[in-house]
Amino acid sequence: MKKLGIVITDGVGFRNFVMSDFLEEASIKFDTIIIYSGLPISAYPAVLPSRITIKELDVFVEGKWTWFFRKWKELAHLQKYQSFYGMKDNLHSGYPKTNTARSLLVKIIYFFTQTIHSSASILFAEKLQFLSFAKHKITTGYIQMLREDQPTHIFFTHQRPPYLAPFLYAAIQSKIPVSSFIFSWDNLASKGRMLGTFDYFLVWSDLMKKELLYFYPNVKEDQVRVVGTPQFEPYVMDKYKIEKQDFYVKFTIEDSKKIICFSCADVSIGANDPVVIRTIANAIRENQIGIPCQLLVRTSPAEGPERFAAIQKDFPEIIWNNPKWILTRENHAESWSQRIPSKEDIRDLRSLLEYVDLNINMCSTMSLDFMLFDKPVINTVFGNPENGLYDDQRFLGYDHFKKVVDSQSVTIAKNPTELIDQIKEALVNPLARAKERKAMIDLQISKELNGTSARIAATLSEWND
């Protein structure tokens, strides 16, 4: 009997693997499915495909030694690959600014990992990390749970959350094959170490496969399969499509004007979003663009719209789309992870992608979303170390985004003048970079959106044989 365990950690994993066709496709390939969830059971649809059960995972809080060994492992990984700009930037930004006891400990780890960061030392730190929680009651509870459930394969929908390490350890100890989906396009070349060692990997593209084999030299080529990503699959699913006229009515859009969509980052990296929004709104109000336009702003699903209250008051003509993501659990250490999207929000997002004329964002994955609909994209980076704004220009050097910049599939605006000029260019000649956009999509997502879930389910089934 084929019994698949699916580990869903957060709202994005929920969107990718519950709100796509994945559960239906996996139900065809497996006799039984158990969702091991970092979200409460109440977050899931009341009706799921038959033979699917859900079990909530206990929230694991790291002890001091677990934290120490994990930090050692992650910093050694960043030190080993700091020739990549994103790795080096994360090393720099993560260096403690204070001298608390924990900060001093982190500084010590920084010091010795400067020279001790071989693959063997990283795996040794991981071994110590896993041993530190091997006898923890949550870990032993997981081992007992897996002994009772007896899944024949466990699939992690995210490779990074450290609080899942005990569950991965329990699966390894239970001798259950484990696989992981690489969560996002920037994870390998700019983020820290994975939570542990997996048997198999699912990746978006041939590029991501190449990156995985480079950063994790112990992984063999036949352990990695290119499948695309379910992140974008809703864009080809009929149940998430709405008609253009319905979109215009819902957002009170004037069909005689071009639609500019600015999609926000969260406050941690989108500190310049208000500056950019005001720049665009003023340009429209003062007719600097020369074409009748309207501005629609989509805020980040990870936060509420509160930080834009002053802009809403000053520019009542701006149209706002505040993502309808539902908070499923209060008082969680990572509350953003407990938000899940509504069907309405996926429909809203798809309609934005399909019907607006231009997208503007700060180096976001949303660039790919809009490129999938062949829409022109401008990336704004107004901040640098000299001008007093949040330094978002540094993101241009990140390996995953440098490929976007070099491809010329987007334009880069470093100040208001460049932004207004690029808006004019994009609205007058929206197809100017169509060839470059298609090439970027082919590079980052190596498979068709149609059939993504079926492809993933078939691969997991194959690995289960």
Side-chain angles (χ1 to χ4, degrees):
M1 175 182 280
K2 288 185 176 182
K3 183 182 284 191
L4 177 65
I6 305 170
V7 184
I8 294 179
T9 62
D10 56 25
V12 178
F14 183 93
R15 179 195 65 192
N16 291 353
F17 292 96
V18 176
M19 303 191 78
S20 65
D21 282 332
F22 176 71
L23 291 180
E24 287 77 6
E25 295 294 343
S27 295
I28 297 170
K29 297 292 186 180
F30 289 84
D31 301 297
T32 306
I33 294 173
I34 302 171
I35 296 175
Y36 296 106
S37 179
L39 298 163
I41 291 175
S42 59
Y44 291 82
V47 179
L48 288 169
S50 60
R51 303 190 307 281
I52 294 180
T53 57
I54 304 168
K55 294 193 174 184
E56 283 186 31
L57 296 177
D58 293 325
V59 179
F60 173 71
V61 179
E62 289 181 324
K64 292 178 181 178
W65 283 112
T66 300
W67 169 85
F68 176 82
F69 294 130
R70 173 180 62 81
K71 200 71 179 176
W72 169 7
K73 174 180 76 173
E74 292 180 348
L75 288 174
H77 182 83
L78 292 174
Q79 298 275 20
K80 180 178 173 65
Y81 296 109
Q82 66 172 296
S83 59
F84 288 79
Y85 183 87
M87 300 285 199
K88 188 172 185 177
D89 186 64
N90 275 315
L91 266 177
H92 175 74
S93 62
Y95 192 79
K97 309 297 189 291
T98 64
N99 287 316
T100 63
R102 175 166 284 208
S103 294
L104 289 172
L105 200 54
V106 172
K107 288 179 180 180
I108 291 170
I109 301 172
Y110 264 82
F111 178 75
F112 75 75
T113 56
Q114 284 180 346
T115 52
I116 304 173
H117 51 245
S118 65
S119 293
S121 72
I122 293 170
L123 291 173
F124 178 66
E126 180 174 294
K127 182 178 180 180
L128 294 176
Q129 176 200 355
F130 279 41
L131 285 174
S132 72
F133 56 65
K135 303 299 184 184
H136 193 285
K137 64 178 182 179
I138 285 181
T139 309
T140 56
Y142 287 160
I143 291 172
Q144 179 60 33
M145 179 192 294
L146 294 177
R147 186 177 295 131
E148 294 169 359
D149 294 345
Q150 295 190 322
T152 53
H153 189 98
I154 295 180
F155 172 49
F156 285 71
T157 58
H158 196 321
Q159 86 287 357
R160 275 182 48 78
Y163 51 84
L164 289 176
F167 193 75
L168 175 59
Y169 174 81
I172 293 169
Q173 290 299 109
S174 304
K175 295 182 169 49
I176 302 168
V178 286
S179 59
S180 182
F181 177 73
I182 302 301
F183 187 68
S184 189
W185 66 331
D186 66 339
N187 280 189
L188 294 173
S190 63
K191 297 290 175 68
R193 191 79 179 179
M194 291 186 198
L195 68 94
T197 303
F198 299 92
D199 298 305
Y200 304 101
F201 299 89
L202 297 166
V203 298
W204 293 29
S205 62
D206 297 317
L207 169 64
M208 193 178 279
K209 179 177 180 177
K210 182 179 177 181
E211 290 176 339
L212 177 61
L213 295 174
Y214 178 81
F215 291 113
Y216 293 84
N218 291 333
V219 176
K220 302 296 185 288
E221 188 169 355
D222 61 2
Q223 294 174 269
V224 187
R225 189 70 60 85
V226 177
V227 293
T229 172
Q231 179 167 327
F232 307 118
E233 191 175 25
Y235 304 156
V236 292
M237 294 170 64
D238 290 341
K239 68 180 179 180
Y240 295 119
K241 181 176 175 60
I242 69 172
E243 296 303 319
K244 185 174 184 178
Q245 192 55 42
D246 295 330
F247 165 70
Y248 273 62
V249 169
K250 178 169 185 176
F251 288 100
T252 319
I253 289 171
E254 299 178 50
D255 58 9
S256 60
K257 295 181 179 180
K258 298 288 187 182
I259 310 168
I260 300 171
C261 174
F262 180 80
S263 45
C264 300
D266 66 74
V267 67
S268 66
I269 58 171
N272 295 333
D273 287 351
V275 178
V276 178
I277 293 169
R278 286 183 180 276
T279 299
I280 302 166
N282 273 317
I284 293 172
R285 187 179 276 184
E286 297 171 10
N287 197 30
Q288 296 175 22
I289 298 170
I291 299 170
C293 297
Q294 54 209 314
L295 174 60
L296 189 157
V297 175
R298 178 175 168 88
T299 56
S300 167
E303 63 182 6
E306 294 78 16
R307 69 184 175 113
F308 302 107
I311 296 176
Q312 290 177 311
K313 182 179 178 181
D314 293 343
F315 295 94
E317 67 269 29
I318 295 177
I319 303 161
W320 294 87
N321 172 218
N322 300 315
K324 295 175 180 63
W325 284 51
I326 303 147
L327 184 63
T328 62
R329 179 184 281 145
E330 303 279 355
N331 303 319
H332 191 275
E334 296 181 343
S335 60
W336 61 268
S337 73
Q338 301 297 297
R339 291 174 178 261
I340 63 168
S342 61
K343 287 184 179 178
E344 181 183 3
D345 185 65
I346 295 181
R347 292 189 187 104
D348 287 348
L349 175 57
R350 175 174 168 164
S351 64
L352 287 179
L353 303 175
E354 193 165 2
Y355 302 129
V356 307
D357 297 287
L358 166 66
N359 175 248
I360 302 170
N361 71 76
M362 193 285 291
C363 304
S364 165
T365 317
M366 289 296 294
S367 298
L368 299 181
D369 295 67
F370 281 91
M371 285 188 214
L372 283 164
F373 286 82
D374 199 21
K375 298 302 170 72
V377 176
I378 300 171
N379 292 134
T380 53
V381 281
F382 280 13
N384 58 54
E386 288 76 44
N387 66 8
L389 294 174
Y390 173 77
D391 182 14
D392 46 19
Q393 288 181 16
R394 74 186 202 276
F395 294 121
L396 299 178
Y398 275 53
D399 192 67
H400 75 286
F401 214 83
K402 189 173 186 301
K403 291 180 173 64
V404 178
V405 177
D406 292 346
S407 74
Q408 298 191 345
S409 57
V410 303
T411 58
I412 306 297
K414 295 184 177 180
N415 56 59
T417 301
E418 290 182 359
L419 176 57
I420 293 165
D421 288 345
Q422 290 171 22
I423 290 173
K424 293 176 185 176
E425 172 196 325
L427 294 179
V428 170
N429 192 2
L431 298 178
R433 298 171 188 270
K435 181 180 176 182
E436 290 81 1
R437 289 194 289 268
K438 184 179 185 309
M440 178 50 53
I441 289 297
D442 291 344
L443 177 68
Q444 299 290 351
I445 312 164
S446 297
K447 300 290 183 181
E448 293 292 325
L449 300 190
N450 280 306
T452 300
S453 287
R455 200 178 302 126
I456 294 172
T459 302
L460 294 174
S461 176
E462 180 184 329
W463 285 337
N464 193 95
D465 290 336

